[in-house]
Amino acid sequence: MDGIGIVGAGVAGLHLGMLLRRQGVPVTLYSERAPQQLGSGRLPNAVAHHHVTISRERALGVEHWDAGEFGYGVHHHYLGGPSPARFIGRFSAPSRAVDQRMLLPRLVHDFCDAGGTFEHRAITPAEVEELARRHDLVVLATGRGGLPSCSRGALISARSTGRNAGCASGSTTASPRPNPEA
């Protein structure tokens, strides 16, 4: 078996891949988009990186945009409707938003520099089973628009091989553990 396979080159998949590489685990990241494609086109979304994510990036050595310089400390909220409401949410530590077209290619570069393997190819639900045979564990970190079926059927099929596959969504507060051999 060949380490961990991660399907999805968003922040969650890339952070997981770098955390695993810090532990010396072989990781292959699969993305339907090449790094140069991740850095082009219209803005896919605007994602706020709050203190937990910024701390994880700092621990991984990939905090390329200092929150002290590029961050902000409040959100201004407006709720429309018959009785509109406005309020300000102040943060205890700065948050930061970086254009995903700049962030994701840089994280792919960092992942590869850490010894990770990046494969540019789309993964279909049918290929999850093949990946489960190839890797000790397959993580589907495809977010909202990725693999069309992060489905029970695909996971059951992958499990029938005796290998492991799972879906990941959202973020984690897990901190990287020091590698005792580093």
Side-chain angles (χ1 to χ4, degrees):
M1 292 297 127
D2 185 24
I4 308 297
I6 301 172
V7 180
V11 172
L14 285 159
H15 279 191
L16 175 60
M18 285 185 276
L19 285 165
L20 291 166
R21 286 300 309 134
R22 288 194 84 178
Q23 298 299 313
V25 176
V27 178
T28 301
L29 191 116
Y30 300 92
S31 174
E32 64 185 1
R33 294 170 48 202
Q36 57 271 35
Q37 291 172 309
L38 293 169
S40 64
R42 61 181 262 277
L43 180 64
N45 55 25
V47 178
H49 287 210
H50 297 294
H51 180 67
V52 170
T53 303
I54 292 170
S55 295
R56 182 173 49 243
E57 289 173 343
R58 190 174 299 123
L60 288 169
V62 297
E63 184 192 19
H64 301 297
W65 295 273
D66 180 60
E69 182 177 352
F70 298 101
Y72 57 93
V74 300
H75 273 178
H76 295 268
H77 300 275
Y78 172 77
L79 305 172
S83 301
R86 290 187 169 119
F87 62 94
I88 294 175
R90 298 189 191 286
F91 305 135
S92 59
S95 291
R96 177 192 64 229
V98 175
D99 186 327
Q100 297 291 290
R101 296 168 296 187
M102 294 170 47
L103 177 69
L104 295 178
R106 181 65 191 259
L107 291 179
V108 169
H109 179 78
D110 294 332
F111 170 75
C112 292
D113 279 354
T117 302
F118 183 89
E119 287 193 21
H120 170 215
R121 68 177 182 133
I123 301 297
T124 66
E127 290 175 296
V128 171
E129 187 171 337
E130 176 236 319
L131 292 180
R133 281 192 297 273
R134 178 177 171 188
H135 297 286
D136 295 311
L137 174 71
V138 175
V139 178
L140 304 178
T142 55
R144 64 187 159 132
L147 195 63
S149 121
C150 181
S151 71
R152 183 168 156 59
L155 295 178
I156 289 170
S157 176
R159 285 190 191 117
S160 70
T161 66
R163 307 310 313 158
N164 297 304
C167 291
S169 175
S171 62
T172 177
T173 58
S175 299
R177 294 184 207 160
N179 184 345
E181 299 180 51

